[in-house]
Amino acid sequence: MDIQKFPLCMADIPVDLKHPNRTLVHGLFEEFATVGGVKRRFLTYIPKNLEYCQPCLVTAIPSNVKAEEFLETSGLRQFAEDHQLFLHLALPEENWNKDGNDADYLNMIYVAIQARDYYVTMQDNIYLCGIGDASFAAHQAAKRMASEWSGLMTFGNLDGDLAQDAQVLLGEESQGEVELKIMGTKAQLPVWMYLTDINDVNNHAAIQYWKEQNHVIGTPLSGAGADEIWAPTPVRVHSEVNEEYIAQVRIAVGRDGFSVKRLEDAWSYIGLARRHRGQGRKCLRYFKDPVACGAVKLEKEVDGIMRTWYEYVPSECTPDQAWPLVFVFHGRGGTAETFFDLSGISALAEARKFIAVIPQAGLYQQKEHGLRNVLVWCGEYQGKFIDDVRFVREIYSDIQTRHIIDRSRVYAMGQSSGGMMSDVLAYTAGDIFVAAAPWSALKSNDVIRTDYQPGERKVPVMWIYGDQDFLCVSKEGPDPELPFSPAKSMRATLMKKIESSHLELSRVESWRADPITWYCYPNEQGIPMLVVGVVSNMVHANYPEESWIAYDQFLCQFSKDEEGNICYRGKKVIE
């Protein structure tokens, strides 16, 4: 297979509007990761017709093979095709070393492949694989960034002492898309090791290290291709809404070396886990596939673009009565499929008995000369604005042909670009929506340039963001009027809400429920028309508990009466 170079101007490649989320190129490509100011080469294989926002497998290949030949003969290319993922081949300079430079190289590949220069990966869901003499470097890299990788697979003995590995603090990626802050810290990580000698001193040390890291029990099990499986302790002290304690250490022993069969065995376990950004760290949970969970995927052409959404109807939401409807919007570069998982919306819908709709955004060109099909709300393609409010109205009409909806209880929530979208709907679609809960963003004229006209009704809003959010937090210090410090563009939107709803800055109410400090701006009736929650130690992201907080503490408190007036706990809101 020939190695290609990515086009200099990805914007020149047209988008297939029947498949707007499809990768624009396919094949084997050369890329570079910068380590200590020096560029090091790696290869990226993109299967034909691969959809964006799929997981990535970074594979450090043996030092004695030619990469493009190994891709074919090892079965890795077919593995990537079968599992529909991005495959990245890490290459040694000559031989894999043990001084830590190769570990840094692997970790910087992690950073590089999330840049969205030529394709869009599933953010943070990147798995690491080491084969042969690359195994020790893979363990070094995973140890330094245990809270970043979603899983580790190695096929070969470890010729080195993992316990003595130095700990290195890497820099942050410039756009805030990857924030690598805490290295070498205690974080669970699913691990699968294929060894020829389980009692070798270095192999044994690595096993002990990962067992401690994953809080595993002492008695090993066996099965599913593994000779020894150490599962985490069944004792659960903390809530698993945001993170599940699932990381195991699995060991297989044999002398047949690397094979796709061995890789399939490992992937059948490792591939279940996904990383999610949360309060203070990246969390680990089993991936919730929408269709496997019972959601239905629907498509419809709107304004010449094939649009996608998922509908999730809990089993108890029977067709003999009307049920609330909640729209959930993903962030920039995400998809409806990934946000079904990230938001944890299916569990909340089951518990609170509402129908959830997870739409997928339209197109956007994030960077100059860059991809024209990064998914974002209220974007554009070839200079033409994409009217996503119209798309949402189409979904709303369409879903009523199949389900009985309680029109008095229709809500919107979302993160980042999806937070902006939920706020846009609060601003312009008060005829449908009764309340909105944007996370990590508000409607911003810097991003959403189309001048939507305001709706007739003032829709109450709960805005939640992190105190380390690069998009939402002011870089200019304390705010002169507000008890929190929003960024300039967010502040402008916030102040318009306060003005249009006739709220008073001096009447702010504040309280704290860790990890969130709350600020409430009630109207003259004491009804919370604007609520702001600032999450401690939180970057630009959301965590599943925000879905529960938004619905239970805010959204479900609002409804509409028979005349279409917004009510709070049954009390009519006077505008």
Side-chain angles (χ1 to χ4, degrees):
M1 178 177 290
D2 294 334
I3 299 174
Q4 309 173 56
K5 293 185 182 297
F6 284 111
L8 294 176
C9 185
M10 294 296 295
D12 290 340
I13 304 175
V15 178
D16 180 356
L17 298 182
K18 301 295 183 184
H19 303 279
N21 195 41
R22 182 174 288 174
T23 53
L24 299 183
V25 294
H26 65 274
L28 185 61
F29 296 89
E30 182 180 59
E31 290 199 73
F32 295 90
T34 302
V35 185
V38 178
K39 285 187 175 181
R40 281 190 59 175
R41 182 171 172 260
F42 69 95
L43 302 179
T44 292
Y45 178 69
I46 304 174
K48 189 175 182 179
N49 297 331
L50 182 69
E51 295 282 309
Y52 283 146
C53 216
Q54 300 302 319
C56 303
L57 177 60
V58 176
T59 300
I61 65 175
S63 58
N64 59 345
V65 300
K66 187 176 180 181
E68 54 269 44
E69 292 179 1
F70 188 74
L71 176 65
E72 293 284 359
T73 59
S74 66
L76 281 170
R77 183 195 63 78
Q78 191 60 51
F79 180 83
E81 299 276 2
D82 293 344
H83 292 277
Q84 288 294 283
L85 50 79
F86 292 95
L87 177 65
H88 309 274
L89 301 182
L91 316 173
E93 292 181 299
E94 289 186 3
N95 297 304
W96 293 100
N97 62 52
K98 302 173 185 62
D99 61 8
N101 289 335
D102 282 339
D104 292 346
Y105 162 61
L106 294 175
N107 285 335
M108 293 315 294
I109 291 176
Y110 178 105
V111 176
I113 62 181
Q114 300 200 80
R116 294 175 179 162
D117 289 327
Y118 310 108
Y119 47 84
V120 181
T121 67
M122 183 183 292
Q123 294 286 291
D124 306 320
N125 288 282
I126 304 175
Y127 305 84
L128 181 57
C129 175
I131 301 174
D133 63 338
S135 296
F136 182 72
H139 277 268
Q140 280 183 310
K143 179 173 183 270
R144 297 180 182 191
M145 275 177 34
S147 62
E148 302 289 331
W149 296 99
S150 289
L152 170 66
M153 302 175 287
T154 57
F155 302 86
N157 291 326
L158 304 185
D159 184 17
D161 187 353
L162 186 69
Q164 297 301 317
D165 180 38
Q167 302 202 357
V168 178
L169 187 67
L170 298 180
E172 293 184 15
E173 196 270 341
S174 60
Q175 292 192 359
E177 297 294 349
V178 180
E179 302 184 26
L180 308 179
K181 292 186 175 182
I182 304 174
M183 303 302 155
T185 57
K186 193 89 172 174
Q188 60 167 334
L189 180 71
V191 174
W192 186 298
M193 301 169 62
Y194 181 73
L195 305 168
T196 61
D197 183 2
I198 197 172
N199 295 314
D200 172 85
V201 61
N202 294 319
N203 294 339
H204 180 74
I207 294 169
Q208 294 303 117
Y209 174 83
W210 291 117
K211 285 171 62 178
E212 181 181 351
Q213 194 83 351
N214 291 333
H215 307 283
V216 303
I217 57 176
T219 304
L221 310 170
S222 63
D227 296 296
E228 298 196 19
I229 302 172
W230 282 275
T233 172
V235 176
R236 297 293 185 263
V237 178
H238 302 287
S239 167
E240 293 192 357
V241 171
N242 299 319
E243 181 168 39
E244 300 165 347
Y245 290 93
I246 58 175
Q248 301 175 10
V249 179
R250 295 190 171 198
I251 310 299
V253 181
R255 297 192 177 278
D256 52 345
F258 173 79
S259 68
V260 170
K261 172 62 171 63
R262 291 290 185 184
L263 181 60
E264 290 282 359
D265 287 342
W267 183 254
S268 66
Y269 166 64
I270 295 292
L272 297 174
R274 302 288 170 93
R275 285 282 180 209
H276 306 273
R277 300 185 190 190
Q279 191 264 333
R281 66 190 187 283
K282 290 183 182 177
C283 303
L284 197 72
R285 297 200 311 274
Y286 285 132
F287 177 68
K288 290 183 173 64
D289 177 88
V291 174
C293 288
V296 177
K297 182 179 181 180
L298 297 163
E299 294 181 321
K300 183 177 185 179
E301 188 172 309
V302 180
D303 295 332
I305 304 174
M306 187 60 70
R307 304 302 301 268
T308 300
W309 72 94
Y310 288 92
E311 292 176 6
Y312 184 81
V313 183
S315 57
E316 293 190 35
C317 290
T318 54
D320 57 343
Q321 67 181 86
W323 300 99
L325 181 64
V326 178
F327 280 77
V328 187
F329 298 94
H330 66 80
R332 181 180 66 181
T335 63
E337 179 187 56
T338 58
F339 207 61
F340 179 93
D341 179 42
L342 285 169
S343 63
I345 195 63
S346 59
L348 177 58
E350 288 285 349
R352 299 296 182 257
K353 298 179 178 58
F354 61 75
I355 296 173
V357 178
I358 307 91
Q360 190 155 291
L363 307 179
Y364 172 69
Q365 185 177 345
Q366 181 177 339
K367 300 178 180 180
E368 186 179 6
H369 307 304
L371 304 164
R372 287 188 179 271
N373 62 339
V374 177
L375 300 188
V376 78
W377 293 102
C378 300
E380 64 176 30
Y381 180 64
Q382 294 183 332
K384 183 179 178 182
F385 169 70
I386 297 172
D387 189 349
D388 280 328
V389 173
R390 171 179 161 82
F391 171 45
V392 169
R393 290 185 180 276
E394 291 272 355
I395 295 176
Y396 183 64
S397 297
D398 193 279
I399 197 171
Q400 291 181 81
T401 66
R402 294 181 302 282
H403 306 289
I404 301 176
I405 302 301
D406 183 348
R407 299 185 186 185
S408 73
R409 295 186 291 168
V410 181
Y411 311 105
M413 56 179 161
Q415 193 264 333
S416 191
S417 174
M420 291 189 187
M421 186 63 201
S422 61
D423 196 35
V424 165
L425 294 168
Y427 178 75
T428 195
D431 56 314
I432 294 177
F433 294 90
V434 66
W439 313 316
S440 308
L442 293 170
K443 176 181 176 292
S444 170
N445 292 333
D446 293 344
V447 179
I448 299 175
R449 303 185 185 281
T450 300
D451 188 19
Y452 281 114
Q453 294 302 306
E456 294 182 1
R457 299 193 182 281
K458 302 296 184 297
V459 174
V461 168
M462 169 186 274
W463 177 37
I464 304 175
Y465 70 94
D467 63 358
Q468 299 175 30
D469 191 319
F470 72 93
L471 182 65
C472 297
V473 176
S474 173
K475 298 177 176 61
E476 300 173 359
D479 192 276
E481 297 179 278
L482 301 171
F484 49 96
S485 300
K488 185 176 180 181
S489 60
M490 302 293 113
R491 187 184 195 279
T493 300
L494 201 69
M495 297 305 283
K496 285 183 179 179
K497 291 182 184 296
I498 290 172
E499 179 183 357
S500 64
S501 295
H502 309 292
L503 308 178
E504 296 181 16
L505 290 174
S506 61
R507 292 189 62 195
V508 62
E509 301 169 357
S510 181
W511 66 96
R512 181 166 179 80
D514 278 327
I516 303 179
T517 301
W518 294 100
Y519 305 93
C520 174
Y521 291 89
N523 66 5
E524 292 185 356
Q525 300 169 272
I527 295 173
M529 296 299 292
L530 175 63
V531 177
V532 178
V534 183
V535 187
S536 297
N537 196 23
M538 182 74 178
V539 296
H540 185 72
N542 71 289
Y543 55 105
E545 193 177 359
E546 288 180 348
S547 299
W548 295 77
I549 291 168
Y551 189 82
D552 286 349
Q553 296 186 24
F554 192 75
L555 297 178
C556 72
Q557 311 289 325
F558 292 91
S559 61
K560 291 181 180 178
D561 62 19
E562 294 181 356
E563 287 76 39
N565 300 300
I566 293 178
C567 300
Y568 176 72
R569 298 179 179 176
K571 181 179 180 180
K572 178 181 174 181
V573 177
I574 300 174
E575 297 187 12

PDB file of all heavy atoms in Angstrom, residues 51-69:
ATOM      1  N   GLU A  51     -17.019   6.816   8.840  1.00  0.00           N
ATOM      2  CA  GLU A  51     -17.678   7.986   9.410  1.00  0.00           C
ATOM      3  C   GLU A  51     -16.729   8.661  10.396  1.00  0.00           C
ATOM      4  O   GLU A  51     -15.911   7.994  11.046  1.00  0.00           O
ATOM      5  CB  GLU A  51     -18.965   7.581  10.133  1.00  0.00           C
ATOM      6  CG  GLU A  51     -20.040   7.016   9.230  1.00  0.00           C
ATOM      7  CD  GLU A  51     -20.774   8.102   8.456  1.00  0.00           C
ATOM      8  OE1 GLU A  51     -21.232   9.081   9.063  1.00  0.00           O
ATOM      9  OE2 GLU A  51     -20.890   7.964   7.218  1.00  0.00           O
ATOM     10  N   TYR A  52     -16.854   9.991  10.520  1.00  0.00           N
ATOM     11  CA  TYR A  52     -16.067  10.703  11.525  1.00  0.00           C
ATOM     12  C   TYR A  52     -16.479  10.273  12.932  1.00  0.00           C
ATOM     13  O   TYR A  52     -17.478   9.603  13.139  1.00  0.00           O
ATOM     14  CB  TYR A  52     -16.282  12.214  11.410  1.00  0.00           C
ATOM     15  CG  TYR A  52     -15.548  12.861  10.262  1.00  0.00           C
ATOM     16  CD1 TYR A  52     -16.098  13.944   9.595  1.00  0.00           C
ATOM     17  CD2 TYR A  52     -14.302  12.418   9.855  1.00  0.00           C
ATOM     18  CE1 TYR A  52     -15.442  14.562   8.545  1.00  0.00           C
ATOM     19  CE2 TYR A  52     -13.624  13.028   8.812  1.00  0.00           C
ATOM     20  CZ  TYR A  52     -14.200  14.096   8.158  1.00  0.00           C
ATOM     21  OH  TYR A  52     -13.546  14.702   7.130  1.00  0.00           O
ATOM     22  N   CYS A  53     -15.675  10.714  13.901  1.00  0.00           N
ATOM     23  CA  CYS A  53     -15.962  10.525  15.313  1.00  0.00           C
ATOM     24  C   CYS A  53     -15.999   9.048  15.706  1.00  0.00           C
ATOM     25  O   CYS A  53     -16.862   8.619  16.464  1.00  0.00           O
ATOM     26  CB  CYS A  53     -17.278  11.221  15.693  1.00  0.00           C
ATOM     27  SG  CYS A  53     -17.267  11.944  17.340  1.00  0.00           S
ATOM     28  N   GLN A  54     -15.034   8.289  15.165  1.00  0.00           N
ATOM     29  CA  GLN A  54     -14.862   6.896  15.544  1.00  0.00           C
ATOM     30  C   GLN A  54     -13.633   6.778  16.451  1.00  0.00           C
ATOM     31  O   GLN A  54     -12.756   7.639  16.456  1.00  0.00           O
ATOM     32  CB  GLN A  54     -14.687   6.023  14.303  1.00  0.00           C
ATOM     33  CG  GLN A  54     -15.854   6.067  13.352  1.00  0.00           C
ATOM     34  CD  GLN A  54     -17.169   5.647  13.997  1.00  0.00           C
ATOM     35  OE1 GLN A  54     -17.208   4.695  14.773  1.00  0.00           O
ATOM     36  NE2 GLN A  54     -18.237   6.355  13.689  1.00  0.00           N
ATOM     37  N   PRO A  55     -13.529   5.699  17.211  1.00  0.00           N
ATOM     38  CA  PRO A  55     -12.353   5.510  18.066  1.00  0.00           C
ATOM     39  C   PRO A  55     -11.072   5.374  17.251  1.00  0.00           C
ATOM     40  O   PRO A  55     -11.106   5.094  16.046  1.00  0.00           O
ATOM     41  CB  PRO A  55     -12.666   4.199  18.802  1.00  0.00           C
ATOM     42  CG  PRO A  55     -14.142   4.028  18.684  1.00  0.00           C
ATOM     43  CD  PRO A  55     -14.530   4.639  17.386  1.00  0.00           C
ATOM     44  N   CYS A  56      -9.932   5.562  17.924  1.00  0.00           N
ATOM     45  CA  CYS A  56      -8.616   5.456  17.305  1.00  0.00           C
ATOM     46  C   CYS A  56      -7.807   4.369  18.004  1.00  0.00           C
ATOM     47  O   CYS A  56      -7.864   4.250  19.220  1.00  0.00           O
ATOM     48  CB  CYS A  56      -7.850   6.774  17.420  1.00  0.00           C
ATOM     49  SG  CYS A  56      -8.696   8.195  16.712  1.00  0.00           S
ATOM     50  N   LEU A  57      -7.032   3.630  17.216  1.00  0.00           N
ATOM     51  CA  LEU A  57      -6.098   2.660  17.771  1.00  0.00           C
ATOM     52  C   LEU A  57      -4.693   3.066  17.346  1.00  0.00           C
ATOM     53  O   LEU A  57      -4.361   3.046  16.160  1.00  0.00           O
ATOM     54  CB  LEU A  57      -6.409   1.246  17.274  1.00  0.00           C
ATOM     55  CG  LEU A  57      -5.449   0.148  17.731  1.00  0.00           C
ATOM     56  CD1 LEU A  57      -5.426   0.044  19.248  1.00  0.00           C
ATOM     57  CD2 LEU A  57      -5.820  -1.190  17.096  1.00  0.00           C
ATOM     58  N   VAL A  58      -3.879   3.479  18.317  1.00  0.00           N
ATOM     59  CA  VAL A  58      -2.475   3.810  18.071  1.00  0.00           C
ATOM     60  C   VAL A  58      -1.664   2.545  18.322  1.00  0.00           C
ATOM     61  O   VAL A  58      -1.649   2.029  19.442  1.00  0.00           O
ATOM     62  CB  VAL A  58      -2.002   4.951  18.982  1.00  0.00           C
ATOM     63  CG1 VAL A  58      -0.512   5.203  18.785  1.00  0.00           C
ATOM     64  CG2 VAL A  58      -2.797   6.221  18.711  1.00  0.00           C
ATOM     65  N   THR A  59      -1.009   2.044  17.283  1.00  0.00           N
ATOM     66  CA  THR A  59      -0.269   0.788  17.380  1.00  0.00           C
ATOM     67  C   THR A  59       1.210   1.034  17.145  1.00  0.00           C
ATOM     68  O   THR A  59       1.613   1.480  16.062  1.00  0.00           O
ATOM     69  CB  THR A  59      -0.796  -0.232  16.349  1.00  0.00           C
ATOM     70  OG1 THR A  59      -2.177  -0.474  16.598  1.00  0.00           O
ATOM     71  CG2 THR A  59      -0.033  -1.540  16.460  1.00  0.00           C
ATOM     72  N   ALA A  60       2.029   0.761  18.152  1.00  0.00           N
ATOM     73  CA  ALA A  60       3.484   0.824  18.023  1.00  0.00           C
ATOM     74  C   ALA A  60       3.946  -0.518  17.466  1.00  0.00           C
ATOM     75  O   ALA A  60       3.837  -1.545  18.134  1.00  0.00           O
ATOM     76  CB  ALA A  60       4.121   1.115  19.373  1.00  0.00           C
ATOM     77  N   ILE A  61       4.448  -0.510  16.218  1.00  0.00           N
ATOM     78  CA  ILE A  61       4.779  -1.752  15.526  1.00  0.00           C
ATOM     79  C   ILE A  61       6.218  -2.172  15.833  1.00  0.00           C
ATOM     80  O   ILE A  61       7.030  -1.357  16.266  1.00  0.00           O
ATOM     81  CB  ILE A  61       4.558  -1.611  14.006  1.00  0.00           C
ATOM     82  CG1 ILE A  61       5.535  -0.583  13.420  1.00  0.00           C
ATOM     83  CG2 ILE A  61       3.117  -1.225  13.711  1.00  0.00           C
ATOM     84  CD1 ILE A  61       5.456  -0.498  11.895  1.00  0.00           C
ATOM     85  N   PRO A  62       6.562  -3.438  15.622  1.00  0.00           N
ATOM     86  CA  PRO A  62       7.928  -3.894  15.913  1.00  0.00           C
ATOM     87  C   PRO A  62       8.973  -3.132  15.098  1.00  0.00           C
ATOM     88  O   PRO A  62       8.692  -2.632  14.003  1.00  0.00           O
ATOM     89  CB  PRO A  62       7.896  -5.377  15.513  1.00  0.00           C
ATOM     90  CG  PRO A  62       6.451  -5.756  15.560  1.00  0.00           C
ATOM     91  CD  PRO A  62       5.691  -4.537  15.169  1.00  0.00           C
ATOM     92  N   SER A  63      10.178  -3.079  15.608  1.00  0.00           N
ATOM     93  CA  SER A  63      11.212  -2.269  14.976  1.00  0.00           C
ATOM     94  C   SER A  63      11.820  -2.919  13.742  1.00  0.00           C
ATOM     95  O   SER A  63      12.515  -2.269  12.981  1.00  0.00           O
ATOM     96  CB  SER A  63      12.325  -1.967  15.990  1.00  0.00           C
ATOM     97  OG  SER A  63      12.876  -3.175  16.493  1.00  0.00           O
ATOM     98  N   ASN A  64      11.573  -4.189  13.531  1.00  0.00           N
ATOM     99  CA  ASN A  64      12.226  -4.887  12.426  1.00  0.00           C
ATOM    100  C   ASN A  64      11.310  -5.110  11.233  1.00  0.00           C
ATOM    101  O   ASN A  64      11.512  -6.034  10.443  1.00  0.00           O
ATOM    102  CB  ASN A  64      12.776  -6.228  12.911  1.00  0.00           C
ATOM    103  CG  ASN A  64      11.677  -7.122  13.473  1.00  0.00           C
ATOM    104  OD1 ASN A  64      10.577  -6.666  13.759  1.00  0.00           O
ATOM    105  ND2 ASN A  64      11.984  -8.405  13.637  1.00  0.00           N
ATOM    106  N   VAL A  65      10.261  -4.293  11.078  1.00  0.00           N
ATOM    107  CA  VAL A  65       9.316  -4.484   9.979  1.00  0.00           C
ATOM    108  C   VAL A  65       9.162  -3.193   9.191  1.00  0.00           C
ATOM    109  O   VAL A  65       9.450  -2.104   9.682  1.00  0.00           O
ATOM    110  CB  VAL A  65       7.931  -4.931  10.501  1.00  0.00           C
ATOM    111  CG1 VAL A  65       8.029  -6.234  11.267  1.00  0.00           C
ATOM    112  CG2 VAL A  65       7.288  -3.850  11.368  1.00  0.00           C
ATOM    113  N   LYS A  66       8.714  -3.323   7.942  1.00  0.00           N
ATOM    114  CA  LYS A  66       8.381  -2.173   7.108  1.00  0.00           C
ATOM    115  C   LYS A  66       6.902  -1.873   7.310  1.00  0.00           C
ATOM    116  O   LYS A  66       6.051  -2.750   7.122  1.00  0.00           O
ATOM    117  CB  LYS A  66       8.679  -2.462   5.641  1.00  0.00           C
ATOM    118  CG  LYS A  66       8.515  -1.259   4.731  1.00  0.00           C
ATOM    119  CD  LYS A  66       8.922  -1.592   3.304  1.00  0.00           C
ATOM    120  CE  LYS A  66       8.753  -0.357   2.403  1.00  0.00           C
ATOM    121  NZ  LYS A  66       9.131  -0.662   0.999  1.00  0.00           N
ATOM    122  N   ALA A  67       6.576  -0.639   7.671  1.00  0.00           N
ATOM    123  CA  ALA A  67       5.235  -0.295   8.157  1.00  0.00           C
ATOM    124  C   ALA A  67       4.135  -0.654   7.175  1.00  0.00           C
ATOM    125  O   ALA A  67       3.143  -1.299   7.534  1.00  0.00           O
ATOM    126  CB  ALA A  67       5.187   1.189   8.492  1.00  0.00           C
ATOM    127  N   GLU A  68       4.287  -0.237   5.902  1.00  0.00           N
ATOM    128  CA  GLU A  68       3.194  -0.455   4.953  1.00  0.00           C
ATOM    129  C   GLU A  68       2.992  -1.939   4.643  1.00  0.00           C
ATOM    130  O   GLU A  68       1.856  -2.372   4.370  1.00  0.00           O
ATOM    131  CB  GLU A  68       3.409   0.354   3.667  1.00  0.00           C
ATOM    132  CG  GLU A  68       4.737   0.150   2.978  1.00  0.00           C
ATOM    133  CD  GLU A  68       5.790   1.128   3.437  1.00  0.00           C
ATOM    134  OE1 GLU A  68       5.905   1.377   4.661  1.00  0.00           O
ATOM    135  OE2 GLU A  68       6.520   1.647   2.574  1.00  0.00           O
ATOM    136  N   GLU A  69       4.064  -2.715   4.720  1.00  0.00           N
ATOM    137  CA  GLU A  69       3.913  -4.157   4.525  1.00  0.00           C
ATOM    138  C   GLU A  69       3.300  -4.804   5.763  1.00  0.00           C
ATOM    139  O   GLU A  69       2.437  -5.688   5.652  1.00  0.00           O
ATOM    140  CB  GLU A  69       5.273  -4.792   4.223  1.00  0.00           C
ATOM    141  CG  GLU A  69       5.855  -4.375   2.877  1.00  0.00           C
ATOM    142  CD  GLU A  69       7.210  -5.005   2.634  1.00  0.00           C
ATOM    143  OE1 GLU A  69       7.694  -5.776   3.505  1.00  0.00           O
ATOM    144  OE2 GLU A  69       7.808  -4.724   1.572  1.00  0.00           O
TER     145      GLU A  69
END
